[in-house]
Amino acid sequence: MRNSLGFTATLFVGLASLASLATGQTCSIVQDINPGTGDSNAEYMHSIDGQSFLFRADDGTTGKELFRWDATLGVQLIADIRPGPSGSFPHSFTTGYFGGEHRTIFTANDGVNGGEVWATNGSTAWMVKDIRLGSSGSSPFYFTYHPLHRAVYFMANNGALGTELWRTDGTTAGTYIVADIALGPLGSQPQEFTVLGDNIIFSADSGPSGRELWASNGQPGGTFKLAEIFGGS
């Protein structure tokens, strides 16, 4: 795990957090997040800007919530999104540059709105949009940042159109469905997103054609099937 450029590796093992901080192979404990014999179960480490990273952990009081580490302040709880011991279980972190700052988009469940799109700038966190009203949540997933669009693409279910292609820039107004590819309540289940030039490439099931290769430039009129690789549904 080391090369001629040095490295930064962070390990979360056993009762607390261990880190090797670009100085060689020496590991030292960063913080006992869940003091005592309980584990913090820190996981899903995600670099924000090369200087700090996000992760989720359980401090023994809040349940699994959103934490941040940097060399100056160490480990900090960013937000107790779901008050109480249950935790919001944040996951699927994806960072982009919006509005003059790095923002990380992720999924979390506040216990009221279900799993929805959330964002953090590293110091606070907020629900971006309640896509599916009620407690079921829209279950957003497959977050992928497109640097040219300054937007994150993902799949979500608003409860009416099924699981379809959405985008967000970390604001409520900038979060909307891109295309209703499969008409009806089932949705096209878009997934496996990747960036190619001005487009986001993904697979989706339109119904008549089955699951095929699709592309979108982020606009409803700019979402199209690339090819019918296997004919039929």
Side-chain angles (χ1 to χ4, degrees), residues 10-19 29 31-32 39-42 45:
T10 305
L11 308 174
F12 290 86
V13 181
L15 303 179
S17 311
L18 302 177
I29 189 166
Q31 185 168 323
D32 191 355
D39 294 346
S40 67
N41 290 312
M45 280 65 78

Side-chain angles (χ1 to χ4, degrees), residues 125-144:
W126 61 94
M127 186 171 69
V128 175
K129 189 169 187 173
D130 188 5
I131 293 174
R132 183 171 185 169
L133 300 180
S135 60
S136 295
S138 64
S139 303
F141 201 56
Y142 291 116
F143 294 119
T144 302

Side-chain angles (χ1 to χ4, degrees), residues 192-221:
E192 310 299 339
F193 300 111
T194 192
V195 173
L196 181 64
D198 190 46
N199 291 314
I200 191 88
I201 309 298
F202 57 98
S203 73
D205 185 346
S206 65
S209 298
R211 182 163 296 279
E212 293 289 355
L213 196 61
W214 285 70
S216 178
N217 63 6
Q219 302 302 318

Side-chain angles (χ1 to χ4, degrees), residues 3 47 140 159 161 200 228:
N3 56 41
S47 175
L161 302 176
I200 191 88
E228 178 114 12

Side-chain angles (χ1 to χ4, degrees), residues 96-105 121 126 145 147 149-151 168-171:
Y97 194 73
F98 321 93
E101 64 179 1
H102 288 93
R103 293 178 184 172
T104 300
I105 308 298
N121 57 10
W126 61 94
Y145 177 64
H149 300 176
R150 296 288 175 91
T168 184
D169 63 0
T171 68

